[in-house]
């Protein structure tokens, strides 16, 4: 297998017809000496095919019909899209298959979302990984297929300069680019998945020492620390990383900043969930946005929770990531609800300085596309 810099006909810069965010949350902080990118990340891009409207999990030996379907780039593309839609200049290093799926994912990310793919590569003879996700009763079941890309793909030896990076930490694995990025002053936000080894040993996450923030869910945080509640786990994690953020599911999120001694807790927004795919990625993207914008800790948690809540009302991973139009529409709608709690409105009052009436589009919004693409007429 060989690698090339881009599919035929694709540009390397993510410019041109790329989607542009209507709000730049970092505008007050930008200077001519800034790094070229706000966030850098690397990982595997999947083609996600999502079925929704299932009454229950598929039963062996039967055929199930779904009432909805969508296709989109998935895997690390969920996080990259969420960051870009919130107005952050995002650069992604990923391996893409040289099949139609790979071309579709590249197009969707570069031209559709404005994500810089100059560190990414198309790998000849390697097919795109695929995940089929079935959503029902607020849960999801996934089936995936794929092969590992060549070991030199996709992370470049030297990551580009960026304000921040999102790193997916894995037990027993050290990624050299994380230390390189941190040494350049990049603020690293560590995400983590379930530890299939069962060890749950923080010493087994060697790159955690390079992270400014660590964002596990409640179960992961308690298993890693041995704490009997998520809030105690968050405090225990600050022995290893300056900022610990623990997501609490329906109870919201809790954060502790060791450097300032500050803690914050924000309840979740009650919504009717259609598909939770990618909600964790959207939460991280929202928190990174607020952190880079230098917002108070509680505002960052509230914003991350809001973006995640908006995402679960749509199906798909990258398809569901909200932009500023959706955030503005939500803010206008909740202010018009009769009997709305003044305390709840005050919690999200920081949005008033970020969104305007011009951003609002009809609510609710639907962005899912059922097919990978239609033939274009001449």
């Amino acid at each position: 297998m060989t690698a090339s810099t881009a599919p035929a006909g694709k540009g390397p810069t993510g410019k041109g017809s790329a989607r542009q965010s209507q709000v730049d949350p970092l505008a007050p902080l930008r200077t001519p000496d800034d790094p070229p990118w706000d966030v850098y990340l690397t990982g595997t891009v999947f083609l996600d095919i999502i079925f929704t409207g299932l009454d229950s999990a598929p039963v062996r030996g039967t055929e199930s019909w779904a009432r909805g379907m969508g296709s989109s780039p998935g895997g690390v593309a969920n996080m990259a899209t969420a960051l870009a839609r919130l107005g952050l200049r995002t650069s992604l290093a990923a391996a893409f298959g040289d099949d139609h799926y790979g071309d579709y994912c590249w197009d969707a990310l570069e031209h559709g979302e404005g994500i810089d793919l100059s560190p990414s590569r198309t790998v000849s003879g390697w097919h795109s990984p695929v995940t089929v996700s079935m959503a029902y009763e607020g849960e999801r079941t996934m089936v995936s297929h794929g092969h590992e890309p060549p070991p030199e793909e996709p992370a470049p030896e030297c990551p580009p300069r960026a304000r921040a990076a999102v790193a997916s930490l894995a037990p027993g694995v050290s990624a050299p680019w994380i230390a390189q990025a941190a040494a350049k002053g990049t603020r690293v936000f560590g995400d983590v998945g379930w530890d299939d080894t069962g060890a749950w040993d923080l010493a087994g996450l060697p790159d955690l020492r390079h992270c400014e923030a660590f964002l596990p869910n409640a179960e992961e945080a308690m298993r890693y620390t041995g704490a009997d509640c998520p809030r105690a786990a968050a405090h225990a994690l600050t022995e290893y990383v300056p900022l610990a953020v623990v997501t609490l599911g329906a109870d919201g999120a809790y954060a502790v900043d060791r450097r300032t001694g500050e803690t914050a807790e924000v309840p979740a927004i009650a919504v009717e969930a259609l598909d939770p795919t990618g909600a964790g990625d959207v939460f991280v993207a929202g928190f990174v946005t607020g952190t880079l914008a230098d917002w108070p800790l509680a505002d960052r948690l509230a914003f991350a929770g809001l973006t995640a809540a908006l995402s679960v009302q749509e199906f798909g991973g990258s398809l569901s990531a909200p932009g500023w139009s959706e955030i503005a529409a939500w803010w206008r709608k909740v202010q018009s609800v009769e009997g709305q709690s003044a305390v709840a409105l005050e919690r999200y009052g920081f949005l008033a300085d970020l969104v305007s009436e011009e951003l609002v589009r009809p609510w609710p919004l639907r962005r899912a596309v059922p097919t990978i693409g239609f033939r274009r007429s001449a």
Side-chain angles (χ1 to χ4, degrees):
M1 290 184 281
T2 59
S4 60
T5 57
K10 310 292 191 294
T13 62
K15 304 290 195 299
S17 60
R19 167 181 177 148
Q20 299 295 321
S21 172
Q22 306 100 316
V23 174
D24 180 1
L26 307 189
L29 305 175
R30 296 199 185 278
T31 71
D33 297 327
D34 284 343
W37 306 112
D38 295 327
V39 187
Y40 168 78
L41 65 166
T42 184
T44 302
V45 173
F46 285 71
L47 171 70
D48 281 357
I49 301 173
I50 308 100
F51 293 103
T52 64
L54 291 165
D55 295 323
S56 62
V59 178
R60 183 176 180 178
T62 67
E63 180 180 16
S64 300
W65 279 83
R67 291 187 291 274
M69 174 187 165
S71 303
S72 69
V76 71
N78 294 341
M79 182 80 72
T81 299
L83 291 161
R85 289 187 178 184
L86 293 177
L88 299 186
R89 300 169 184 173
T90 303
S91 182
L92 170 65
F96 288 79
D98 65 347
D99 49 18
H100 290 306
Y101 293 168
D103 286 352
Y104 161 73
C105 290
W106 188 294
D107 265 340
L109 296 175
E110 183 182 57
H111 297 293
E113 304 296 343
I115 296 168
D116 169 60
L117 297 181
S118 57
S120 294
R121 300 292 183 268
T122 295
V123 182
S124 177
W126 180 65
H127 73 74
S128 301
V130 176
T131 292
V132 175
S133 177
M134 292 161 280
Y136 53 91
E137 298 176 352
E139 299 293 336
R140 57 177 173 158
T141 298
M142 296 185 292
V143 179
S144 297
H145 173 70
H147 301 286
E148 289 291 327
E152 69 273 13
E153 301 294 337
E157 293 182 1
C158 186
R161 286 180 60 238
R163 295 174 186 264
V166 179
S168 182
L169 308 182
V173 177
S174 180
W177 74 265
I178 297 175
Q180 293 170 10
K184 293 179 180 179
T186 297
R187 306 166 71 176
V188 181
F189 294 75
D191 196 7
V192 72
W194 190 257
D195 184 358
D196 291 328
T197 70
W200 297 103
D201 181 9
L202 285 168
L205 299 176
D207 290 325
L208 184 60
R209 67 183 184 273
H210 302 300
C211 295
E212 173 180 324
F214 185 45
L215 298 97
N217 64 33
E219 184 66 23
E220 293 159 351
M222 290 189 292
R223 286 179 178 264
Y224 270 121
T225 62
D228 58 2
C229 81
R231 293 160 187 81
H235 285 273
L237 287 172
T238 59
E239 296 180 16
Y240 299 86
V241 66
L243 177 58
V245 181
V246 177
T247 55
L248 309 175
D251 292 327
Y254 183 81
V256 183
D257 192 329
R258 182 187 69 205
R259 297 162 299 188
T260 64
E262 185 181 8
T263 64
E265 182 168 2
V266 174
I269 297 173
V271 295
E272 184 177 346
L274 176 63
D275 179 9
T277 304
D281 294 324
V282 173
F283 181 94
V284 173
F287 190 82
V288 169
T289 300
T291 301
L292 294 185
D294 203 24
W295 297 347
L297 184 57
D299 287 357
R300 288 181 257 166
L301 280 187
F303 185 72
L306 168 60
T307 55
L310 292 176
S311 78
V312 301
Q313 297 178 84
E314 306 286 345
F315 66 80
S318 60
L319 283 176
S320 68
W324 286 101
S325 290
E326 290 88 333
I327 294 166
W330 176 86
W331 178 235
R332 183 178 70 171
K333 181 179 179 181
V334 296
Q335 291 180 88
S336 67
V337 174
E338 186 176 351
Q340 182 66 262
S341 166
V343 173
L345 286 176
E346 184 179 359
R347 170 62 274 157
Y348 295 91
F350 65 93
L351 292 175
D353 295 328
L354 292 164
V355 300
S356 64
E357 193 67 22
E358 289 73 22
L359 290 176
V360 176
R361 292 186 293 170
W363 179 273
L365 300 152
R366 289 287 179 259
R367 297 173 300 281
V369 178
T371 62
I372 288 177
F374 292 99
R375 290 189 181 91
R376 296 176 182 175
S377 58

